[in-house]
Amino acid sequence: MGDIKSYVEHISNRIIWMTGVVVIIAGIMVSSWSKIGLKQYEGYTVYEKTFEELQTDHVDTRYLVEIFDENILNYTINLSQTSYFQGEGRLKIFHSNDLLAEVSGIGGKNLVTFDLENVQLEKGENYLFQVTLQSTEPFSYSIDDEGRLKDRQIYAFEYQNILKVMAAIIFFLIILLVVLSLKIKNTGLFFSIISFIMGAVFCFENPPCSVADEFRHTIRAYSYAMGDVVITNYIDGVPYYNVPKEFFEIRELAQTVDYSHEYNRTVNMTAMSRQWERKWARQETVDVRVPAVSEISPIAYLPQILFMKIALLLNMNPIACVYWGRMGNLLLYSLGIGFCIQKLKKYKSLMTAICLIPLSLRFAASNSTDSVLLTLVMIAFTYLVSFIESDDKEKSIYCVKSFVVFALVSIGIANVKIPYTLLLLSLLALNKSCYKGKRVNKIIFVGGVLFSGIFSYQLMQRLIVIKESSFGLNAAIANFMKDPVSSGNALVDGFYHSYEYVTNAYGIGYLDVIYIIFILICAWSSTKSVNMYRYQKWMMLLVGVFTWCCVIGAAWTWGAGKQIRGMHGRYIFEILPFLLIPFAQGQEVEGEKNMEGYCRLFEILIIGGYAMELMNQYYIL
């Protein structure tokens, strides 16, 4: 009778949790649904070359503008962020030397908007715009890094039904995952399923180039898929790669706010739909700068290269190649991490939580190399912990098979981001018994593993790099040597402000914070290892902190080490297991499986909410 009562209470608690998850996600979906219904307009930024330098208190300039779509409601010119338009503006529109219309402009902050609702302009046609602005203070137009004027055409939005279908699909996939969380007992399998399903949602929900540096990574993976290993084109010391224009234009269809940043902010549905209709022409090419990623080995892009190559062989259009590369990356992440979680005897919930960080899963569903790096680090960590947790005290890591596994992982990690090879110093935490009782064997093994990675990195640099840039390990070391005092101060400052990197421009603020708290709880409540000695915990923690310092140090690219730049919260994800597992305090309890079930539901809730927030961020606002 007691067993029945306990079972009923257990099922009731799970049903309450499931109901709560569904109700919260339904509330978020209803909110998004209503916002979709209110969306009436969308805009497209057109980048045009200007005929003169615009920096004056009186502007009368002419330039060509291509009309992106019919029924233009208004036309907006962006001034520089430091300008504030206070005056009158006039816009004259010419076609074939004939004056079609003349309208007045309304200024607001650093924008000047002209009403074109009553002006008949044809889609795809080029018109000559003559802009005259008068202001009481000097101002300048906002232009991108290539000297192109930023302006914006606003027109009616016609894709409410598509967005509603997207919201409904996300909602029903979350319901499916909630049900599967009860059915699937295998934690590794559960991770693979949830990461692949929700990763696929992120893959198609995120516009191209919506995560940090994705366009550069996409271009580099594409170059490898085309057989171009070495980048030979340099302009002012910056590496460039030549791509077909239709592939290059994918970067602009989600509207970059600042052309120097390689990520997009909002989606233009009209531009997106047109990209899916495009075919390869390859008649016109464009030089695209690829700093930093030009030196990354093809090893880091293997899944993207393979899947892009398949897309190219099937003659799929440019945007399809981008999404195929993403799916290859996601597949490796889901299967690789799922294997690691299944192999672990302890810490399954913690590892699942770390690898389901929404931002990490979002990068896994992109053409970034971060997912390959996290997968390789987790493989190394899994094998390391398996030796620590082994009940066989005579189990030896000092053998050819183990060395090959760790050497291959070291090679992979080094060719993605070399500072993370330092995490393999955690092999020193293993007892002498794992090295057949000899300290010298430990030194030989660990040294050989690290040497494999560093040697392969240097070898690949010799093969693929023509001219060394200001990025990479060698540049970071050189900057440190130039001014070690300033570099040390920058390192301390960067370490102290590490928390600022967690909720950066690529995250979703409050959801990231909530999930970080959740991960800390998972770490604290994880069953502590009875086979892991205190010195081993301290060694892993020390290796994690040391590696994080070196990762921060790798950002000493600008200013000879005097300023930390380019840091993102995702850089610490690979180090989290080494930092958190030493603090595991839990004991073996009967309700641990129940706790794992609640963790699954919470993860589904956060990831589902994250997906809805992405839709709101890119498609609705």
Side-chain angles (χ1 to χ4, degrees), residues 170-183:
I170 294 173
F171 176 72
F172 286 112
L173 285 176
I174 293 170
I175 300 300
L176 174 63
L177 290 175
V178 168
V179 174
L180 290 177
S181 69
L182 285 179
K183 301 292 184 181

Side-chain angles (χ1 to χ4, degrees), residues 435-503:
Y435 296 96
K436 296 185 176 180
K438 296 182 179 180
R439 184 174 286 106
V440 66
N441 289 348
K442 178 187 291 191
I443 296 173
I444 292 172
F445 188 91
V446 177
V449 167
L450 291 177
F451 176 79
S452 299
I454 296 171
F455 177 77
S456 69
Y457 170 80
Q458 294 292 345
L459 177 63
M460 292 304 298
Q461 293 298 292
R462 299 292 184 274
L463 295 176
I464 66 177
V465 177
I466 298 296
K467 184 187 298 184
E468 189 169 317
S469 71
S470 58
F471 297 86
L473 177 66
N474 294 334
I477 294 174
N479 285 330
F480 180 82
M481 297 304 294
K482 287 179 184 177
D483 193 344
V485 175
S486 296
S487 296
N489 293 333
L491 173 62
V492 173
D493 183 70
F495 188 87
Y496 177 74
H497 291 287
S498 294
Y499 66 92
E500 296 178 0
Y501 305 131
V502 176
T503 56

